């Protein structure tokens, strides 16, 4: 579901933001959520799973990754697509868990003020069952400036939108995993009315055991 860009302009102007380009709306959404989460930076993506995938690619991590056996289907699949091996463990969790031993966290079911885990790459979801119900989309929270700059380009096909396209050097092999401005506009409008503190929307009891499926072995 997309929100017309024009619908968010009066709000942003009343808050003192200058919007000269549709991508400014995306940047503003990221800044608002970084402040909310407690991280230095936020990078919007098309969904939480792709956010974790990009983080693993940035870290160039290869090897085993341990996750709870009770989790959403896309997570072990993403780990395998990233070139790693999935190890399942029986773990009680709520809201967020670590992709061990990496500093990447699946926080798809947590969205509350001050939620950022220090020195992590923490990914959240905006699915319609989550607190910020954009319908689709996600965000990566980090304090790592180098990661922030790499992720901003990698999520958009290796494209640096701060540079005119003919002048772009294209030195990063990217993916089509960005959030459109219209979706960010909807996110901003919903975020304005969202409570600062929200309960986790998922835990180990919310998902079935994936450890017995052959496709993940």
């Amino acid at each position: 579901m997309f929100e017309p860009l024009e619908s968010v302009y009066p709000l942003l102007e009343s808050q003192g933001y200058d919007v000269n380009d549709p991508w400014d709306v995306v940047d503003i959404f990221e800044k608002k959520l970084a402040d909310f989460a407690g991280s230095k930076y936020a990078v919007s993506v098309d969904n939480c799973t792709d956010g974790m995938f990009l983080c693993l690619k940035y870290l160039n991590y290869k090897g085993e990754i341990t996750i709870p056996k009770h989790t959403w289907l896309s997570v072990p699949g993403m780990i395998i697509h990233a070139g790693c091996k999935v190890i399942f463990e029986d773990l009680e969790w709520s809201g967020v868990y670590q992709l061990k031993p990496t500093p990447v966290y699946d926080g798809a079911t947590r969205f509350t003020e001050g939620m950022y885990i220090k020195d992590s790459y923490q990914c959240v979801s905006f699915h319609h069952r989550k607190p910020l119900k954009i319908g689709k989309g996600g965000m990566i929270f980090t304090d790592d400036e180098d990661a922030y700059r790499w992720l901003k380009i990698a999520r958009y096909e290796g494209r640096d939108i701060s540079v005119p396209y003919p002048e772009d050097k294209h030195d990063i092999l990217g993916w089509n995993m960005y959030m459109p401005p219209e979706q960010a506009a909807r996110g901003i409008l919903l975020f304005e009315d969202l409570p600062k503190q929200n309960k986790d929307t998922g835990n180990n009891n919310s998902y079935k055991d994936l450890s017995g499926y052959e496709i993940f072995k």
Side-chain angles (χ1 to χ4, degrees), residues 138-159:
M139 194 76 71
I140 305 166
F141 298 111
T142 183
D143 284 344
D144 184 340
E145 183 177 359
D146 289 338
Y148 168 72
R149 296 186 184 281
W150 187 90
L151 291 165
K152 293 272 280 187
I153 297 173
R155 68 175 178 184
Y156 191 16
E157 301 155 354
R159 174 82 175 87

Side-chain angles (χ1 to χ4, degrees), residues 1-2 29 45-48 125-138 179 183-184 186-187 190:
M1 182 182 294
F2 292 106
F29 185 42
V45 287
D46 59 345
N47 61 70
C48 180
S125 171
F126 304 136
H127 186 270
H128 68 85
R129 293 192 181 94
K130 309 299 168 49
L132 190 59
K133 305 177 187 298
I134 295 176
K136 188 172 176 62
M179 176 182 288
Q183 206 162 352
R186 175 171 171 77
L190 291 172

